[in-house]
Amino acid sequence: MLGYKAPSTVEEAIGILAGASGVAKILAGGTDLLVQLRSGRAKPDVIVDIKKIEGITGIRQHDGGFVIGAATPGAEIGECKALAQAWPGLVEAANLIGSTQVQGRASLAGNLCNASPAADSVPAMIAARATCVVVGPKGRREVPVESIATGPGRTSLTRGEFILEFHLPKRPPRAADAYLRFIPRTEMDIAVVGAAVNLTLDSVGVCSDACVVLGAVAPTAVFVPEAAGALIGSKCDDKALAALDAAARRACKPIDDKRGTIEYRTKVAGVMARRAAAIAYQRAGER
Ligand SMILES: Cc1cc2nc3c(=O)[nH]c(=O)nc-3n(C[C@H](O)[C@H](O)[C@H](O)COP(=O)(O)OP(=O)(O)OC[C@H]3O[C@@H](n4cnc5c(N)ncnc54)[C@H](O)[C@@H]3O)c2cc1C
């Protein structure tokens, strides 16, 4: 019979996860896990609901940056004005997940640890250079978000480990981000391509730092340093955007399926990256 535990401390949760005799699964919002349970894709022996752990939901400012509890639902992320002001791209990515009902539950950690190549918040978190605090039997470690997903449905987390919180760094002036995805429908669909761009401008509007990350075009989210390089030193003009588009297309290693051919996904990746860069540039210029 499937067991259910709802620990109220990190230590208790680690003890249950590490000591489980069969497969133990974390439950955050359950918007992936419950679907997988019903379809029989996931067959854990025990479910560990982390939402009763103090601080695992909520957003706070710290050292000029933000700490987001791992199980914080998308709705709460969208309602945090300070976060949306500093990281509009990350917030728009988190709020693209599912419907109003799904937003009431779906968390960043669930989106990351479900490890879908098409997860919407993941490229935006990576472009933001977010880190996550992983806790487990060996203690606590802070790692970049991109080190978690290792392939579709797989993560680098070891037995007994889970994500406690995400850290977003302090923003310099004139910095902004943007996330765009392409879906065949208007909502409630899986990204055919996702593109996140995070950039910083100098005092005359020249891009001094950039990070470009694509989703749904490879087994895990893809950093595109060449695309970032195309933006740095430019005012996001047509030439820079064309170079970024070409670099984004070169970085794609997509699958060919009913949702899009390799050629289609590759082309759309360039277009999404270019549009996201233009939005991030405009936002940064307005700060
Ligand atoms: C109708 C519908 C629409 C959706 N639309 C989208 C969409 O547009 N874009 C998108 O990206 N996703 C979408 N999803 C998928 C899902 O909502 C997201 O992936 C969501 O962010 C998962 O978060 P959760 O808190 O519900 O995760 P859960 O279902 O609770 O967990 C998901 C996985 O992550 C693990 N996990 C959860 N928290 C932790 C943690 N703290 N540490 C370690 N492991 C953890 C769980 O064990 C499980 O394996 C949709 C789902 C539904 C049902």
Side-chain angles (χ1 to χ4, degrees):
M1 204 178 77
L2 178 61
Y4 172 85
K5 304 272 183 192
S8 53
T9 66
V10 170
E11 294 70 30
E12 204 189 329
I14 295 169
I16 298 166
L17 289 166
S21 54
V23 176
K25 276 288 214 183
I26 298 270
L27 173 76
T31 60
D32 278 316
L33 185 61
L34 294 189
V35 176
Q36 291 162 11
L37 285 179
R38 290 187 73 122
S39 69
R41 238 179 85 203
K43 292 186 177 133
D45 299 287
V46 60
I47 283 177
V48 184
D49 185 343
I50 53 172
K51 289 190 293 296
K52 289 199 165 64
I53 297 174
E54 202 187 324
I56 205 140
T57 59
I59 302 165
R60 62 191 159 90
Q61 287 180 268
H62 178 69
D63 273 352
F66 289 86
V67 178
I68 306 177
T72 308
E76 197 172 331
I77 291 172
E79 281 164 9
C80 180
K81 289 198 172 65
L83 184 68
Q85 167 65 24
W87 296 100
L90 175 57
V91 172
E92 69 199 349
N95 287 168
L96 274 174
I97 296 172
S99 55
T100 303
Q101 292 88 339
V102 170
Q103 281 290 307
R105 286 288 183 188
S107 67
L108 294 180
N111 200 223
L112 176 61
C113 296
N114 187 55
S116 160
D120 281 307
S121 71
V122 177
M125 282 197 280
I126 297 174
R129 300 189 178 101
T131 58
C132 49
V133 173
V134 175
V135 289
K138 290 186 184 149
R140 177 186 169 109
R141 59 195 172 95
E142 187 171 343
V143 295
V145 165
E146 58 270 26
S147 71
I148 298 295
T150 54
R154 294 198 315 269
T155 72
S156 59
L157 298 176
T158 58
R159 189 177 170 82
E161 284 190 327
F162 65 99
I163 296 177
L164 184 65
E165 61 195 23
F166 293 92
H167 291 186
L168 287 166
K170 186 178 175 187
R171 277 300 215 187
R174 293 179 295 279
D177 59 340
Y179 175 77
L180 287 178
R181 72 171 182 188
F182 178 77
I183 54 172
R185 304 194 302 184
T186 50
E187 58 181 301
M188 295 284 284
D189 206 345
I190 300 164
V192 171
V193 172
V197 177
N198 175 28
L199 49 74
T200 305
L201 308 183
D202 69 12
S203 57
V204 291
V206 172
C207 181
S208 56
D209 182 37
C211 193
V212 178
V213 181
L214 299 174
V217 293
T220 58
V222 184
F223 257 123
V224 196
E226 238 194 300
L231 294 179
I232 294 170
S234 83
K235 287 193 171 180
C236 247
D237 48 42
D238 289 348
K239 191 173 160 217
L241 290 178
L244 166 133
D245 182 325
R249 280 185 275 125
R250 279 195 296 278
C252 293
K253 293 183 182 63
I255 54 166
D256 209 343
D257 70 3
K258 64 179 177 187
R259 308 175 55 72
T261 61
I262 291 175
E263 193 187 6
Y264 181 68
R265 282 195 159 96
T266 305
K267 183 169 173 149
V268 173
V271 174
M272 290 293 110
R274 192 158 19 98
R275 290 183 187 170
I279 295 169
Y281 183 83
Q282 190 190 341
R283 285 176 177 166
E286 287 164 357
R287 278 152 194 250

